[in-house]
Amino acid sequence: AVAVIAPANDERPYHENFEFYGRRLTELGQALEPHGIQLAVGFDASEAARHGKTYEFVRDFDALLVLLSTVGAENVGLWLDLWQIWASGASVENALLKLDQLSVVAVSLSDADEAQPDPRHPDSHRLPGEHGVIDSVAVLSRLAELRYEGPVTPIPGSNLSGLRREQIVKLAGEKLDSVWKAAGITSNTKAPARMAAAAGGV
């Protein structure tokens, strides 16, 4: 399962919200654990999600790591969403160095068509490997080193909105396969990692 932390609210200031989410995520993890379900937690870097709200909250990778470190449930971990990391202005490369500090539960691969994130276009993500602005190959290689075995999902961009569903799925699969092979990982690779691929978000 995946969940996104709201980056702002009107009810609780930062420190109170931090304690609230630490408890709530722990409770959710404990409720899901008997059913064999892991919970991947992500953040929302978009300015629109914070607009008009009284209190800001977790909206970048480092803050999310700190929050997850307070959760008392082993089945609750990180949703590694490359687009959100890039859109927050953070370095994907630096984020990769911190992955051994926590449990990665789910991964979403994306790319961008411009060198810097533009807040005017919060949903301008592209399929992985389309432009090479976000290095999905480096991410897959790092995950292989960590022996990650969870889902890896390409996220189609808004530029595909005119295509039929089956066309989007086919294109997403092709792009994912290309970065997978560039990282030296194939669908029948047994080591160093076995990663499940799904064309989600379409």
Side-chain angles (χ1 to χ4, degrees), residues 59-169:
R59 58 184 180 90
D60 60 46
F61 185 73
D62 287 337
L64 179 61
L65 296 192
V66 175
L67 175 62
L68 291 176
S69 71
T70 70
V71 177
E74 293 185 358
N75 60 324
V76 177
L78 174 68
W79 180 4
L80 183 66
D81 186 333
L82 299 192
W83 172 260
Q84 295 298 341
I85 294 173
W86 182 82
S88 72
S91 165
V92 173
E93 290 75 15
N94 289 341
L96 295 182
L97 298 176
K98 303 174 182 179
L99 291 185
D100 58 353
Q101 301 174 10
L102 55 115
S103 173
V104 181
V105 175
V107 176
S108 292
L109 301 182
S110 300
D111 202 350
D113 58 2
E114 49 195 9
Q116 298 295 325
D118 187 342
R120 295 172 299 176
H121 304 103
D123 299 317
S124 59
H125 51 275
R126 298 293 181 258
L127 285 169
E130 216 169 292
H131 298 281
V133 174
I134 301 175
D135 193 350
S136 292
V137 174
V139 173
L140 290 175
S141 298
R142 178 60 178 152
L143 291 172
E145 292 174 1
L146 297 174
R147 304 190 68 82
Y148 172 73
E149 295 185 345
V152 177
T153 306
I155 301 181
S158 57
N159 62 320
L160 303 179
S161 59
L163 300 180
R164 297 192 306 274
R165 179 185 178 89
E166 56 270 24
Q167 291 176 307
I168 296 175
V169 171

Side-chain angles (χ1 to χ4, degrees), residues 40-55:
V41 182
F43 67 93
D44 186 344
S46 67
E47 291 185 3
R50 305 191 304 273
H51 181 72
K53 300 295 184 181
T54 305
Y55 306 110

